[in-house]
Amino acid sequence: MNESLKYSILFVCLGNICRSPAAQAVMQRLVDERGLTDRFYIDSAGIGAWHIGDLPDKRMRVHARARGYELTHRARQVRAADFDDFDLIVGMDATNVEDLRYKTATIEQQDKVVMMGDYIRQFPHYDHVPDPYYEGSEGFELVLDLLEDACDNLLDRIIKQNNRIQ
Ligand code: 4NP
C-alpha cells in the first residue's frame, strides 16, 4: 500500500520510555486485531531528549509483557517534520499537549495535536494518562488500563471520520 495513504499516528509523552511506547504497542495490536495493519503507521516520540536510543523503561516492559505487548521501540525526540508527516499527534497529558502546540508552525499542524485523556471512557476520574516514572507497579498498570480504553475509543473515532481507512 502507498505509504501516503496510510493513516499515521504519533503518540507523545515526556520521555518516550513509558507511556507513549506503551500506547504505540496497544494501538498497533488493536489495528492488527481489526485487520487494518496495512492502513496505519504508528510511532511514538518524547518531548525530552534524555532517553534517545533507549528501550522503554524495564518496569513498563514487564507490565506490558504480562498483557502480551512486546515493547521494542527505541526512544526518539519529537522533530519539526513530525507535524507534517503524521495525521494525528496524541499527547498523554496537558503539559505534553501544550509543549507540542508550542512547537507547531501552522494552524493545520496545531489541529493535529490532541490529548489521550479526551478519549478515556471507562475511567471517568482520569482526564489524562499520568506519568508512572516515580510510581510503583500500580502506576504502570493504570497506564495500561487507561491506554487500552482510550486507544479503542480513539481508533473507533478515526475510522468513523476517515472514509479512506475502510
Ligand atoms: P514517560 O515517563 O514520559 O511516560 O516516558 C517519563 C520517563 C522519563 C522521565 C520522565 C517521564 N524522565 O524525566 O527521565
Side-chain angles (χ1 to χ4, degrees), residues 13-20 50-51 131-134:
C13 60
L14 184 57
N16 194 210
I17 55 166
C18 296
R19 294 166 291 173
S20 61
W50 313 286
H51 298 285
D131 186 346
Y133 197 65
Y134 297 105

Side-chain angles (χ1 to χ4, degrees), residues 40-99:
F40 282 87
Y41 176 72
I42 303 164
D43 194 8
S44 65
I47 298 291
W50 313 286
H51 298 285
I52 289 173
D54 291 351
L55 277 172
D57 185 284
K58 181 83 194 288
R59 299 164 296 170
M60 192 74 253
R61 279 187 283 142
V62 166
H63 285 273
R65 189 175 300 127
R67 299 190 192 201
Y69 305 106
E70 285 299 324
L71 305 189
T72 56
H73 176 76
R74 292 281 176 171
R76 73 166 179 89
Q77 194 171 23
V78 173
R79 45 186 176 248
D82 289 331
F83 296 95
D84 292 323
D85 293 346
F86 285 85
D87 292 306
L88 192 68
I89 301 178
V90 188
M92 296 294 135
D93 59 34
T95 309
N96 299 155
V97 168
E98 196 176 307
D99 290 343

Side-chain angles (χ1 to χ4, degrees), residues 20-51:
S20 61
Q24 179 182 354
V26 168
M27 187 59 105
Q28 187 66 58
R29 183 154 93 190
L30 288 170
V31 160
D32 294 347
E33 282 172 357
R34 295 192 197 197
L36 298 172
T37 308
D38 66 346
R39 309 278 173 162
F40 282 87
Y41 176 72
I42 303 164
D43 194 8
S44 65
I47 298 291
W50 313 286
H51 298 285

